[in-house]
Amino acid sequence: MIAVGAIAAVTAVLLAGCSSSSSTLSGNSGTKAKTSIVVGSANFSENEILADIYGQALAANGYHVSYKLNIGARAAYVPALEKGEVNLIPEYSGSILAYLSKSATASSSADVKAALDAALPASLKALTPSSAADSDSLNVTPAFAAKNGLSSIADLSKLSTVKIAANPEFQTRPDGIKGLQSIYGLTNLKFTAISDGGGPATLKALLDGTVDVADIYSTTPSILANKLVTLSDPKSLFASQEVVPIVSSSKVDAKLTSVLNKVSAALTTQDLLALNTEVSGDSKTAPADAAKAWLAKAALF
Amino acid sequence: MNLFGAGFAWILAPRHWVTTAEGSGIGDALVHHLFLTAVSVLITVVIAGPLGLYIGHTGRFRRVAIGASNAARALPTLGLLSALILLLGIGDVPPVVVLVVLGIPPLLAGAYAGLESLDRQTIDAARAVGMTEFQILRKVEIPLAAPLLLGGLRAAALQIVATVALASVFGLQSLGTFIIDGLAQADYVKMTAGAILVAALALLLDGVLAVVQRLVGPRGVSRGTDRHRTTARDGKKPVALTQDAH
């Protein structure tokens, strides 16, 4: 019995080895069975749109793509990536780095990418980041900016007190209140925690003057819709948050890299903003349809 | 156990009692928590008290009141709070409105159930000796129903004091600040400390009201009701037991 079991196990391993090598071969030659890729996403619509864009681009280039969208937060999908249950997830360079390495201090785009490459386990690989980014951004109303002559975060020191709204973790994050104090030397901050990730309640508080400054993700449609002034960040308080596909190392080859990099290169922050507006705005376009329209317009393949 | 120990230690550390740029202090949070609780309970009493007494005394609109307060119970508190915050902006008004909506059903139920539970003969006797309807309410019904009236108040106050914590989702100070911020900041000691504080305050308030409830009850009446209930339950018990055995 044991011998039979052992033989079966060995045979299974050999077969598995055969099948994976043969599929890699056919993937390279592009003739027979398609390489299959499982594309996942985090549980918010922008990430889902990005997953659809990368997934559809691969499908257009002969990959067999299946989707596991809306998985959840990093704590849920990073283990799935590591186990190979999901092969591709669009990430944001600074956030995934901070998740993998708690002590990360890299801030510029190149530093973040280098630190990310070092922090990723061998089973995962980060491809070339896009110039499209979705980071924290501090916003004020146009009237408040004009009245106080604000254009950069450093200008906030002109005010006697600054009421600032953000998620509660902003209070303790190194690139939150602490960073504003140590990097920009702001000592006039009064913090209000609003737990909606720069959503409607935060926006309402900013517009009705309950707070002066609101932390809203840079690709949120409400920034454009309300003509908010995003304060520039000359001292790079917020780490670079470029969109970067994280892929199973076992699936990475020249063809996959070239397809995904082509998409990343074409994608801009303005595109993200427009896509988010389409999906979250009044038209309520489905993420997959918005992705399809963007790919058609970009005419990459 | 360790987390609880750490939570208590967190509460006892003096630096956590004062508000800094790092975070809210327990002192400020407690004061505002009590303020929101007091205002909400007061408005609840002003609205539901007279209404409940009227319904209990006259027996009118009972069906409407039960329906309306059951509907109010089904309202998702956080959803209502979010909607009101988006409508009115961040401030004390949205949480107070939500808490009053939450507090009205138990108080209303306590009031009309309290008056309805009274012996009709007692009220007829009061009417027979020439009391006006208002005198019957004030001198007979309210004193006799006091334990149940206060029971309703106690239930309402308990729900309100525990739910005030939700206001901190939208940046308002309360003991919930530590729970909500602690979760977001992955500071579970702070979160536990917040939970301990909310639970302790709720237990304290409920304890005080329980003592008041005991003090106001006319002794003979409440004891009589209790004995009646006990015998009724005792009578049913063997039946229930035999059914269980099958």
Side-chain angles (χ1 to χ4, degrees):
Chain A
M1 284 298 277
I2 294 166
V4 172
I7 290 167
V10 168
T11 320
V13 170
L14 286 175
L15 283 175
C18 285
S19 70
S20 73
S21 64
S22 69
S23 79
T24 316
L25 278 174
S26 64
N28 282 339
S29 58
T31 46
K32 279 186 177 174
K34 296 173 172 182
T35 306
S36 61
I37 292 266
V38 182
V39 177
S41 84
N43 56 350
F44 56 97
S45 64
E46 179 183 283
N47 204 250
E48 204 177 324
I49 300 168
L50 287 169
D52 281 322
I53 288 179
Y54 284 117
Q56 289 175 15
L58 289 173
N61 285 281
Y63 285 85
H64 178 75
V65 179
S66 56
Y67 295 92
K68 280 188 183 167
L69 302 179
N70 263 313
I71 298 174
R74 282 189 184 87
Y77 65 70
V78 172
L81 259 177
E82 287 171 349
K83 282 185 221 151
E85 294 162 0
V86 176
N87 306 123
L88 187 161
I89 282 197
E91 260 295 357
Y92 304 93
S93 53
S95 298
I96 180 69
L97 174 61
Y99 175 83
L100 293 169
S101 156
K102 297 274 178 276
S103 55
T105 52
S107 177
S108 76
S109 162
D111 290 353
V112 169
K113 178 62 167 56
L116 179 59
D117 287 339
L120 279 171
S123 61
L124 296 176
K125 213 168 165 332
L127 300 187
T128 311
S130 166
S131 68
D134 177 6
S135 65
D136 287 76
S137 73
L138 297 183
N139 297 275
V140 294
T141 60
F144 191 78
K147 191 180 144 213
N148 298 293
L150 305 174
S151 66
S152 120
I153 296 176
D155 294 338
L156 291 173
S157 62
K158 294 180 195 169
L159 302 166
S160 56
T161 55
V162 178
K163 286 174 281 178
I164 178 168
N167 267 354
E169 61 268 28
F170 196 77
Q171 208 163 27
T172 48
R173 257 169 37 186
D175 60 346
I177 295 291
K178 283 178 182 168
L180 286 172
Q181 287 171 337
S182 62
I183 298 174
Y184 282 99
L186 297 174
T187 50
N188 50 356
L189 302 173
K190 205 168 164 292
F191 183 71
T192 302
I194 303 177
S195 309
D196 74 342
T202 308
L203 179 70
K204 170 86 181 164
L206 181 67
L207 294 181
D208 70 14
T210 308
V211 297
D212 306 322
V213 181
D215 177 18
I216 301 176
Y217 300 123
S218 57
T219 54
T220 308
S222 67
I223 295 178
L224 274 191
N226 296 283
K227 301 191 170 61
L228 301 182
V229 176
T230 299
L231 299 177
S232 64
D233 181 13
K235 296 184 182 173
S236 301
L237 167 68
F238 299 120
S240 174
Q241 296 287 6
E242 293 166 334
V243 170
V244 54
I246 305 288
V247 192
S248 303
S249 304
S250 62
K251 302 280 182 185
V252 176
D253 58 21
K255 186 182 168 194
L256 181 113
T257 308
S258 93
V259 170
L260 295 179
N261 282 352
K262 215 166 168 182
V263 172
S264 301
L267 193 71
T268 65
T269 303
Q270 290 306 313
D271 288 340
L272 275 189
L273 197 52
L275 287 163
N276 281 337
T277 309
E278 262 179 70
V279 171
S280 313
D282 294 333
S283 67
K284 304 280 180 224
T285 313
D289 295 340
K292 201 171 168 185
W294 182 86
L295 279 167
K297 214 175 105 195
L300 299 173
F301 307 108
Chain B
M1 264 331 260
N2 200 11
L3 197 58
F4 273 97
F8 278 110
W10 193 93
I11 294 168
L12 294 176
R15 67 197 164 87
H16 292 138
W17 282 79
V18 283
T19 302
T20 62
E22 294 271 305
S24 324
I26 299 173
D28 287 348
L30 181 64
V31 168
H32 200 240
H33 196 112
L34 287 172
F35 169 76
L36 287 176
T37 306
V39 171
S40 306
V41 170
L42 200 71
I43 297 176
T44 304
V45 169
V46 168
I47 294 174
L51 199 63
L53 292 178
Y54 175 79
I55 294 166
H57 181 75
T58 60
R60 264 183 245 169
F61 306 118
R62 191 171 174 278
R63 211 170 275 253
V64 180
I66 294 173
S69 56
N70 281 343
R73 270 184 228 255
L75 270 179
T77 308
L78 184 57
L80 185 60
L81 182 61
S82 313
L84 285 173
I85 289 270
L86 291 184
L87 206 65
L88 305 172
I90 290 173
D92 290 343
V93 178
V96 167
V97 171
V98 169
L99 293 168
V100 167
V101 168
L102 190 74
I104 285 177
L107 192 68
L108 200 60
Y112 67 65
L115 295 204
E116 274 175 6
S117 70
L118 299 180
D119 192 343
R120 299 321 294 177
Q121 288 189 344
T122 316
I123 293 158
D124 289 343
R127 203 165 278 139
V129 298
M131 281 189 179
T132 64
E133 293 305 304
F134 187 70
Q135 281 173 328
I136 295 172
L137 182 68
R138 199 168 61 86
K139 293 185 173 170
V140 181
E141 287 180 319
I142 292 180
L144 286 177
L148 271 176
L149 290 177
L150 267 153
L153 176 68
R154 203 174 136 191
L158 191 66
Q159 291 222 23
I160 287 172
V161 78
T163 310
V164 169
L166 274 187
S168 294
V169 172
F170 299 102
L172 293 166
Q173 293 257 340
S174 84
L175 295 176
T177 303
F178 309 111
I179 302 177
I180 287 150
D181 291 6
L183 180 64
Q185 297 161 358
D187 184 346
Y188 301 119
V189 172
K190 189 195 227 183
M191 199 173 130
T192 311
I196 293 171
L197 286 167
V198 174
L201 187 66
L203 284 174
L204 190 72
L205 185 68
D206 196 46
V208 169
L209 288 174
V211 171
V212 174
Q213 191 180 6
R214 191 162 281 201
L215 292 178
V216 295
R219 224 171 250 174
V221 175
S222 64
R223 214 178 263 166
T225 328
D226 279 346
R227 193 179 301 145
H228 180 69
R229 274 189 198 149
T230 321
T231 30
R233 232 181 257 151
D234 284 350
K236 273 175 194 162
K237 248 179 195 169
V239 182
L241 275 176
T242 42
Q243 278 173 343
D244 282 349
H246 280 288

